Amino acid sequence: MASSSPFSFRDLVKATGIPVAFFVTAIATWLLLAEMELFERFYEYSRAHEDWDLDELALLIVNLTIALLFSVFFQWRRLKKLTTEREFQRQRAEKNASHDPLTGLLNRRAFSSLLEEIENGHREPDELVVAMVDLDRFKPVNDLHGHAAGDVTLQTVAQRLKNEVNGVGNLARLGGDEFAVVFEGAVDAKSAERAVRRILHAMEEAVDFEGSQIFISSSIGLVMWSTATPYAEAMRRADKALYMAKSEGRGQFAWYDAELDKQSHERAEIEADLREAIQRSEIEPWFQPIIQIESNKLVGFEVLARWTHKTRGNIPPNVFISIAEDSGQIGNLGISILQQACMSAKNWDPSLLISFNVSPYQFHDPKLVDQIKDIVESCNFDARRLTIEVTESSVIHDFEVAREKLNALKKLGVSVALDDFGTGYSSLASLRQLPFDRIKIDRSFVTNIAMEPQNQKIVTGIMALANGLELDVTAEGIESCDDLGYLQSLDCSLGQGFLFEKAVPAEQVGWLLETKWSEWQVDPLREDTEPRKDMRDAG
């Protein structure tokens, strides 16, 4: 029988798990004791003192030594187990620090580090494609099915992204329902678009959850990124492209557009400057005359807002008004303009009226009536000289609330007018249910009316309706003598437009009242004068 290899000392150490240093120490100590013949000396000494029971004492010491060795061994094993567990926890903590615990994808921090490595040249510095993916209609998933369904949906989305991107890009979950992809350098724009289309298609498949099917979609923003551009800017551009994709209808992708981004950036800058401009009353009221159509007699003015920016110059009202509405500043803007207008107009002839348009947002403000009351009282302005104009969109949603507010304004002495009449869907219902004093025919029906048979029929019908309801009518947008003549033939009472005067600042109104309009006559301007388009606003 063939002999097997002898069991080595190293095998003994490996099998028992006892440290090598222990064996080395034990052997060295044994040799030292043998060299000094301590065993023989102890034996002779114990025989000479048999009455001391030294044998038992030696046996006790041996037993204690063995017990101590076992204790050391087991303590070492326990420490080794704790060290292994600590290393496992450390590795798991490192993974959690760089990966999303729900989906297993890179988290925002790790994804930023990846892009930073690419930017710093630690990776291939080719031009790359960065994509931002956001789920559409994800919030209803949590609201209708619960957060467990939301978690399953996110995990499913992550897996679908892996299926489409695996091998050609790196994935991350940035937070919530937002994901990001950086495609490898070999992926060009067309390849990225193909991958993105596959992702969009995959996202439309239903997600199964406890017998129910959850339907979602996604929007994706794409940007070409060169490492010459900071990665943070690349992420911002991808996010901007995502916003563009969502604004175009969701469920699709869009490439970053520098020109649109520039416009968006300018809009953001204007929004930032707008708040300060309102506080400093830099946005001022201008006044366009309202005349009696039959006699060209001046009866009042419509208040329009104008803003001359310190660096941008004149900003059109249709720009800053929409920004004020979107940013929630339209209420403060309207109050500022109205207060300035009342302060200026109180010094004019008390027979001159002013009309002021409030936006739907401002009309729905519960404090509106009290604010107007405070303004007319603080400015010592006769409320009977003020007409508040509201659009149909301000009142159409709740006639009861609108009627209560309009009656409260009329109780102050303020007149109310329905602005842009004819452009809404329920103008007749508005007139029938609400206490308006006047209607204003929208400029789209008035300008060039002599050449538009359809508009002639509409305006003729409006005039017949207003006469039947005993309402005054103001026609805006009169730009030619033909427009004026047609309105005179319909016995329209009031009008305004470039044919008489564009909007002018308060100081110019004061000068005109003392000179050109001293007899309250506003003669039509020469028609060969090229009019500038009047971009009126909501307050």
Side-chain angles (χ1 to χ4, degrees):
M1 185 176 70
S3 61
S4 59
S5 60
F7 190 76
S8 66
F9 176 75
R10 183 181 298 276
D11 294 332
L12 175 64
V13 172
K14 184 176 180 180
T16 60
I18 301 176
V20 175
F22 173 81
F23 282 102
V24 173
T25 302
I27 294 173
T29 304
W30 179 273
L31 294 175
L32 178 63
L33 293 177
E35 182 69 21
M36 298 176 63
E37 299 182 350
L38 289 181
F39 299 105
E40 290 81 355
R41 293 180 183 181
F42 177 77
Y43 177 76
E44 293 174 357
Y45 188 81
S46 64
R47 296 278 74 80
H49 300 83
E50 292 184 0
D51 56 331
W52 288 9
D53 297 328
L54 293 178
D55 294 343
E56 290 79 359
L57 179 61
L59 183 61
L60 175 62
I61 293 174
V62 171
N63 287 336
L64 290 175
T65 301
I66 294 173
L68 178 61
L69 290 175
F70 273 102
S71 175
V72 170
F73 172 74
F74 285 113
Q75 286 295 328
W76 175 80
R77 295 287 292 181
R78 187 176 70 85
L79 289 175
K80 183 178 180 181
K81 182 178 180 180
L82 289 175
T83 302
T84 303
E85 178 68 20
R86 182 177 298 176
E87 178 64 18
F88 172 76
Q89 294 293 344
R90 185 188 66 79
Q91 293 177 358
R92 187 169 68 174
E94 288 182 353
K95 182 178 180 180
N96 290 339
S98 60
H99 289 75
D100 172 53
L102 179 64
T103 62
L105 302 179
L106 294 177
N107 59 21
R108 179 184 292 272
R109 177 182 177 184
F111 190 70
S112 297
S113 298
L114 172 65
L115 297 183
E116 187 175 7
E117 286 184 10
I118 297 174
E119 179 185 332
N120 293 334
H122 298 156
R123 293 211 174 188
E124 189 68 25
D126 294 339
E127 193 172 45
L128 304 176
V129 178
V130 178
M132 196 81 76
V133 183
D134 189 77
L135 302 184
D136 304 325
R137 302 185 301 274
F138 178 71
K139 186 177 183 300
V141 174
N142 287 328
D143 295 341
L144 296 176
H145 303 281
H147 289 281
D151 291 345
V152 170
T153 301
L154 291 174
Q155 290 170 337
T156 303
V157 166
Q159 186 58 51
R160 291 175 181 177
L161 287 171
K162 289 179 183 178
N163 294 340
E164 302 301 336
V165 177
N166 190 27
V168 296
N170 292 282
L171 273 167
R173 181 190 176 201
L174 302 183
D177 59 342
E178 191 174 57
F179 298 81
V181 185
V182 56
F183 291 96
E184 298 294 345
V187 178
D188 57 13
K190 290 185 178 180
S191 300
E193 282 192 9
R194 286 194 293 269
V196 163
R197 288 191 176 95
R198 292 195 302 269
I199 291 173
L200 292 176
H201 179 71
M203 293 304 173
E204 293 176 353
E205 298 180 10
V207 178
D208 294 323
F209 177 76
E210 296 183 352
S212 300
Q213 288 190 320
I214 300 172
F215 292 93
I216 57 171
S217 61
S218 64
S219 299
I220 303 177
L222 295 169
V223 64
M224 294 297 299
W225 175 45
S226 168
T227 52
T229 302
Y231 77 89
E233 175 63 16
M235 292 291 287
R236 188 196 70 81
R237 293 179 180 179
D239 189 63
K240 183 63 64 176
L242 173 63
Y243 174 80
M244 295 174 185
K246 284 184 173 292
S247 64
E248 291 173 1
R250 303 175 185 271
Q252 53 190 310
F253 72 90
W255 285 94
Y256 168 76
D257 189 312
E259 182 60 31
L260 289 178
D261 187 27
K262 179 182 178 181
Q263 295 175 9
S264 176
H265 186 68
E266 290 179 352
R267 184 179 176 89
E269 289 181 340
I270 292 175
E271 179 181 335
D273 293 340
L274 182 62
R275 192 177 307 275
E276 183 178 349
I278 294 173
Q279 293 174 349
R280 295 184 177 183
S281 298
E282 294 177 358
I283 303 178
E284 302 174 339
W286 282 35
F287 302 85
Q288 185 175 38
I290 302 173
I291 55 93
Q292 286 184 348
I293 290 181
E294 182 180 3
S295 62
N296 294 346
K297 180 182 178 181
L298 178 67
V299 296
F301 300 89
E302 179 176 8
V303 180
L304 303 171
R306 295 293 182 265
W307 183 13
T308 303
H309 192 276
K310 54 188 176 183
T311 58
R312 297 178 182 272
N314 293 325
I315 299 180
N318 63 336
V319 173
F320 70 80
I321 291 296
S322 64
I323 293 176
E325 290 176 338
D326 294 341
S327 62
Q329 301 184 67
I330 188 64
N332 292 334
L333 174 59
I335 293 302
S336 173
I337 295 297
L338 179 57
Q339 186 164 23
Q340 294 180 69
C342 289
M343 287 295 294
S344 298
K346 74 174 183 178
N347 298 319
W348 302 337
D349 189 285
S351 64
L352 294 176
L353 311 176
I354 61 171
S355 295
F356 179 78
N357 187 292
V358 297
S359 72
Y361 177 92
Q362 191 176 5
F363 184 78
H364 295 146
D365 188 345
K367 303 187 296 292
L368 176 64
V369 176
D370 291 334
Q371 289 173 333
I372 293 177
K373 180 181 178 181
D374 291 341
I375 288 175
V376 295
E377 289 179 351
S378 63
C379 296
N380 194 26
F381 186 81
D382 187 353
R384 293 172 297 182
R385 298 176 57 194
L386 176 62
T387 297
I388 294 297
E389 302 176 2
V390 297
T391 59
E392 188 177 344
S393 59
S394 301
V395 301
I396 194 64
H397 299 293
D398 194 328
F399 281 130
E400 285 298 322
V401 173
R403 182 187 299 110
E404 181 179 349
K405 184 160 294 187
L406 294 177
N407 283 329
L409 289 171
K410 291 171 69 70
K411 189 175 180 180
L412 295 178
V414 175
S415 299
V416 291
L418 180 59
D419 195 16
D420 298 338
F421 187 79
T423 59
Y425 295 100
S426 305
S427 297
L428 296 180
S430 303
L431 289 180
R432 181 173 61 87
Q433 299 187 45
L434 300 175
F436 290 109
D437 301 300
R438 180 181 298 114
I439 60 176
K440 294 188 69 174
I441 304 176
D442 187 71
R443 66 183 58 243
S444 61
F445 301 116
V446 174
T447 302
N448 202 31
I449 189 174
M451 304 298 294
E452 299 287 347
Q454 287 296 106
N455 287 349
Q456 293 174 13
K457 295 177 182 178
I458 293 173
V459 173
T460 300
I462 293 174
M463 289 301 305
L465 176 64
N467 291 332
L469 296 174
E470 298 181 348
L471 294 173
D472 287 336
V473 177
T474 300
E476 56 181 354
I478 304 174
E479 295 188 358
S480 69
C481 290
D482 290 338
D483 296 343
L484 178 61
Y486 192 86
L487 294 170
Q488 287 174 337
S489 69
L490 297 178
D491 294 327
C492 183
S493 53
L494 302 175
Q496 63 186 89
F498 281 126
L499 181 63
F500 299 98
E501 186 61 78
K502 63 182 183 297
V504 295
E507 57 270 19
Q508 189 171 344
V509 171
W511 177 80
L512 288 169
L513 290 175
E514 294 177 357
T515 56
K516 186 177 178 180
W517 297 340
S518 60
E519 300 298 328
W520 308 115
Q521 288 294 119
V522 182
D523 297 325
L525 302 175
R526 290 171 51 191
E527 289 192 48
D528 58 357
T529 302
E530 182 68 23
R532 291 181 296 172
K533 186 177 180 181
D534 182 26
M535 294 173 291
R536 59 189 299 275
D537 55 69

